Amino acid sequence: AQSVTQLGSHVSVSEGALVLLRCNYSSSVPPYLFWYVQYPNQGLQLLLKYTTGATLVKGINGFEAEFKKSETSFHLTKPSAHMSDAAEYFCAVKGGTASKLTFGTGTRLQVTL
Amino acid sequence: DAGVIQSPRHEVTEMGQEVTLRCKPISGHDYLFWYRQTMMRGLELLIYFNNNVPIDDSGMPEDRFSAKMPNASFSTLKIQPSEPRDSAVYFCASSPGGFKETQYFGPGTRLLVL
């Protein structure tokens, strides 16, 4: 079984500030981890993913995430927020050879001037 | 590639009517997924197919929901009869074979049942 917990349903940051969106997972097998972004009235778009190898993963739009097995975490960060980053962000986990993705409940990021 | 295509983008119907949502996956993708997104329940997987065969439909809420994939380039999700609680955004996603692969989402169909 696998699950994802996203801490904080809403996060607000100032433009130029650090973005940190938290994700913790549970998986009985080595996980594959994903972050997706959803802009208003659109589908989900992949930001980045971890499968194997380097634990620091870089994605689109300046985002990155670090897989920490000891903490069962996969937090998403961006050094400097931009207004265009305002969206909903979903963390997802896939366990081993499973085809199903399990999504977290999402975190809505607000960026203020 | 055009990406995953869904139609219609918006659907408004009355309770009791039949609703059919359509999806064209990305060419060459072996897996197709149907999701439902609501404020209350978030993003839920309803059913997924591999090579046109339904693999797991445990997320389908009840018998009023059915899904088919008659060929590799087309899938439908049908609700009959529809109820107001079915109002949601329905997403289709597709993915190449392989468990490390990314799922690519369509733009969704926003369904409102009055």
Side-chain angles (χ1 to χ4, degrees):
Chain A
Q2 56 206 34
S3 65
V4 172
T5 301
Q6 290 186 241
L7 295 175
S9 58
H10 289 83
V11 171
S12 182
V13 300
S14 300
E15 190 173 35
L18 171 72
V19 175
L20 171 61
L21 305 182
R22 299 179 186 274
C23 172
N24 287 90
Y25 70 89
S26 172
S27 177
S28 55
V29 297
Y32 301 118
L33 295 156
F34 303 77
W35 275 100
Y36 283 84
V37 60
Q38 184 180 28
Y39 298 102
N41 300 315
Q42 294 187 26
L44 280 70
Q45 177 185 358
L46 182 72
L47 270 180
L48 51 79
K49 67 179 180 181
Y50 168 79
T51 54
T52 56
T55 56
L56 182 62
V57 181
K58 295 186 185 299
I60 61 171
N61 301 338
F63 285 93
E64 61 183 37
E66 186 170 12
F67 170 60
K68 291 188 177 181
K69 184 179 178 181
S70 61
E71 299 177 8
T72 61
S73 69
F74 190 57
H75 302 330
L76 182 70
T77 60
K78 181 174 180 178
S80 177
H82 191 272
M83 295 297 288
S84 61
D85 295 327
E88 186 142 21
Y89 293 79
F90 292 90
C91 183
V93 63
K94 183 188 289 188
T97 58
S99 299
K100 294 169 58 171
L101 270 177
T102 299
F103 284 88
T105 52
T107 297
R108 185 166 299 277
L109 176 66
Q110 180 182 21
V111 182
T112 58
L113 290 172
Chain B
D1 199 314
V4 176
I5 299 172
Q6 291 187 247
S7 65
R9 293 293 311 276
H10 302 272
E11 177 82 26
V12 180
T13 191
E14 293 188 347
M15 183 174 63
Q17 296 298 304
E18 177 179 296
V19 174
T20 300
L21 311 181
R22 297 172 176 80
C23 175
K24 177 179 169 54
I26 294 172
S27 177
H29 282 192
D30 296 333
Y31 287 85
L32 184 139
F33 304 82
W34 282 101
Y35 291 89
R36 177 171 68 176
Q37 185 178 38
T38 61
M39 290 291 292
M40 292 298 294
R41 300 175 68 91
L43 198 61
E44 306 172 275
L45 176 66
L46 300 177
I47 185 172
Y48 78 92
F49 296 81
N50 180 23
N51 292 323
N52 314 337
V53 176
I55 302 300
D56 184 347
D57 65 354
S58 60
M60 296 286 261
E62 48 197 278
D63 291 346
R64 298 185 297 106
F65 286 70
S66 63
K68 295 182 179 179
M69 192 164 186
N71 57 61
S73 59
F74 184 66
S75 177
T76 59
L77 178 68
K78 187 174 293 186
I79 309 172
Q80 166 63 17
S82 58
E83 297 182 3
R85 61 193 166 118
D86 302 330
S87 298
V89 181
Y90 291 81
F91 289 103
C92 176
S94 71
S95 129
F99 44 86
K100 296 182 182 181
E101 295 294 341
T102 300
Q103 290 184 22
Y104 295 85
F105 282 75
T109 295
R110 188 173 296 274
L111 173 65
L112 178 61
V113 183
L114 302 173

